[in-house]
Amino acid sequence: MLSRKVFWSVTIALAVVGVASGALLGNTVFNQPTHTSYAAWKEVFESPSHLAQRVDAVVLAKAVGVEPGRIVYSSNREDALPFEVVQFEVVRGIKGAAVGERVPVERAAGNITIDGGAYEIGATYLLFLKQQEEGPYFYQVNHQGRYLVDKGRLYAAAPEDSVASFFEGRPVAEGLGLVRGYLREN
């Protein structure tokens, strides 16, 4: 017959092993994969030159399609933010992309308008983009990085911004020339 001391020692040891195994198994099996989301608004640029020089790509591109993207959950998993991936075809590559290349841009889906809202499929935009650290996607740097082309002119997503207002209403060719000049400064 086992002594009480041995019985309780074995019981406690089995309980500790059971709890540790359960925690390890639960963490492996039940946790959803986490995705990192980058704060597109963390960097606001002080000048058009700074904007052009600090991004990975500057393109004049046509929005050709949109598809659902990933879903990012809050740390307590109560809130979810869906993303969408907008496919652009480069019409003019100023930095980081060539004519005809497809550039996938990830943005928050739904009624998010801080970045200018949903892209209009078939419309052309001047975009200032950064490459995400993981995956093939780009993201619009902030409200300063998006200009709709309409009747040969650029229209900012946030025309009241000091950098965006610099491009607001300019002819496309003039805006592209300014960006090229800023890139030569570097």
Side-chain angles (χ1 to χ4, degrees):
M1 188 142 203
L2 291 175
S3 73
R4 284 184 141 177
K5 189 175 188 179
V6 170
F7 173 78
W8 284 111
S9 296
V10 169
T11 302
I12 290 171
L14 288 173
V16 168
V17 168
V19 169
S21 297
L24 182 62
L25 180 62
N27 190 38
T28 303
V29 173
F30 298 109
N31 274 355
Q32 297 288 333
T34 57
H35 295 283
T36 305
S37 182
Y38 299 98
W41 310 110
K42 70 180 180 179
E43 187 173 17
V44 176
F45 302 96
E46 61 203 36
S47 69
S49 175
H50 191 230
L51 171 64
Q53 292 171 2
R54 297 289 306 265
V55 297
D56 298 317
V58 182
V59 295
L60 186 66
K62 181 178 181 178
V64 294
V66 63
E67 58 199 42
R70 64 193 170 112
I71 298 175
V72 176
Y73 295 94
S74 62
S75 59
N76 63 7
R77 308 216 30 96
E78 291 180 7
D79 298 307
L81 177 62
F83 282 78
E84 63 187 12
V85 177
V86 182
Q87 293 291 334
F88 287 91
E89 185 172 316
V90 177
V91 176
R92 287 203 186 118
I94 293 94
K95 177 181 180 181
V99 172
E101 188 176 332
R102 287 282 176 113
V103 177
V105 176
E106 185 181 53
R107 70 171 297 274
N111 295 329
I112 308 292
T113 59
I114 192 167
D115 64 351
Y119 289 101
E120 182 183 330
I121 302 304
T124 300
Y125 297 87
L126 172 61
L127 300 171
F128 293 80
L129 306 169
K130 285 217 175 181
Q131 178 80 44
Q132 289 188 4
E133 292 177 21
E134 300 170 7
Y137 303 124
F138 286 85
Y139 62 93
Q140 178 184 314
V141 293
N142 60 36
H143 59 282
Q144 297 171 326
R146 174 179 174 168
Y147 303 86
L148 173 67
V149 174
D150 187 27
K151 296 179 183 151
R153 294 193 174 274
L154 299 171
Y155 294 97
E160 68 283 352
D161 177 85
S162 63
V163 171
S165 67
F166 186 79
F167 291 106
E168 177 71 15
R170 287 189 188 266
V172 173
E174 182 181 337
L176 297 179
L178 291 168
V179 172
R180 285 187 188 100
Y182 299 142
L183 294 174
R184 283 191 296 271
E185 290 175 6
N186 193 8

